[in-house]
Amino acid sequence: MTRTIGIDIGGTGIKAALVDVDSGELVSEKIKVGTPEGAKPADVAAVVAQLVEQLDPHGSLPIGACFPAVIIDEVARSAANVDKSWIGTNVGELFERATGRLVHVVNDADAAGVAEVRFGAAKGVSGLVLVTTLGTGIGSALIYNGMLIPNSELGHINLPGSRWQTAEKRAANSARLRRRLSWTRWAERLQVYYSTLEMLFSPQLFVVGGGVSKDYAEFLPLLELTTPIVPAMHFNNAGILGAAALAPFSHNK
Ligand code: BGC
């Protein structure tokens, strides 16, 4: 059994667990804490250090963390729904200093995508799999024959409506809640989104993640697409699992 620590950092909460990255199972309880007020880098790093100490006291397990931003070589390059001070921050280095361990950081949707391809709904699917997470924003992961093409950011394409808006403004789960859309009304927006993605990418499979994917029976059957579309298997654990699977061993860092 190969164990690592997976940490999923979001705008409202931070979740962490020990993961067996051979089987893709959580091997500890999942610890959840609120993201510190303002979600500033130093405060988040302090929480990360505390979670790691709780899960693996005085140990040295490596850490995989995921974060809702474009991440290139451990550095955050965007901040759509988090504090702007993250832009330019070397998140990997920040967490390595805070924890004294090896850390690899990836985009949150990329982590969810890796989890679904290795351990979930897209396991064994060849060709292009497009994983989207419907939450506060919309995250995306493109995975071709099991290989992640990182930072696709397909939540930021523009969609037509009464006016043009980014997909995540129009069709994220937060838009459904904010506008109190019925499942049917929301599905109309999702239809435009997934038809556009289908036209642009012709994937083999869409996987829909994010907390709301638990309610997939309310909206996925309403979509008319040529591409099969299925709910994620790991719902809210996908970020932890995928991040943990990408934790730095000598072969991936
Ligand atoms: C961010 C992405 C992130 C997604 C889901 C978007 O606003 O730009 O990087 O993956 O939200 O959290």
Side-chain angles (χ1 to χ4, degrees), residues 3-9 15-18 21 45 47-53 55-56 59-66 74 91-92 94-106 240 242-249 252-253:
R3 287 190 318 162
T4 66
I5 299 172
I7 306 181
D8 183 352
I9 297 158
K15 298 175 279 192
L18 295 184
V21 293
V47 172
V48 164
Q50 180 197 317
L51 290 175
V52 166
E53 231 5 78
L55 286 167
D56 181 33
S60 60
L61 291 177
I63 299 166
C66 67
E74 314 295 323
V91 186
L94 176 74
F95 292 171
E96 286 192 343
R97 263 187 275 119
T99 61
R101 302 171 186 225
L102 286 178
V103 180
H104 181 46
V105 183
V106 294
I240 295 180
L246 297 170
F249 293 104
N252 61 9
K253 186 165 188 178

Side-chain angles (χ1 to χ4, degrees), residues 24 78 83 106 112 120-121 163 189 202 209 229:
S78 72
D83 193 79
V106 294
R163 62 199 162 96
R189 296 180 176 208
S202 304
I229 184 161

